[in-house]
Amino acid sequence: MRYIKKYLGVLWIVLAVVSGYYLIVSQAIPQFQSEKPEDLVPAIVYTFVLMPIISGGLLVFGWYALLGEYDD
């Protein structure tokens, strides 16, 4: 079971990187490049609020699983 948790820890870390990439490349950059002023606020929210919360949370969860903090 310990090896499954470590494998899933790596999976969570990869998911954190992929989700951060998706939020920046697919969501925020097109809205920053849009010339509509109403697209600027969601782009800022995606970049500076959602991306650190989502990616950071997944990354920390995966890191702790990889280190064995959930072995109890």
Side-chain angles (χ1 to χ4, degrees):
M1 188 69 172
R2 187 176 327 157
Y3 297 111
I4 293 173
K5 289 179 185 177
K6 288 185 185 270
Y7 172 74
L8 289 175
V10 172
L11 184 67
W12 285 114
I13 292 171
V14 169
L15 188 61
V17 171
V18 169
S19 68
Y21 178 80
Y22 173 77
L23 280 172
I24 295 298
V25 172
S26 297
Q27 298 295 321
I29 289 176
Q31 289 186 349
F32 274 125
Q33 293 173 346
S34 174
E35 296 190 14
K36 298 180 203 172
E38 62 266 9
D39 285 343
L40 187 60
V41 172
I44 291 171
V45 169
Y46 287 146
T47 304
F48 298 110
V49 177
L50 291 178
M51 197 273 298
I53 291 172
I54 293 170
S55 295
L58 288 171
L59 185 69
V60 168
F61 185 74
W63 182 253
Y64 283 156
L66 192 61
L67 291 179
E69 295 289 326
Y70 301 119
D71 285 345
D72 292 338

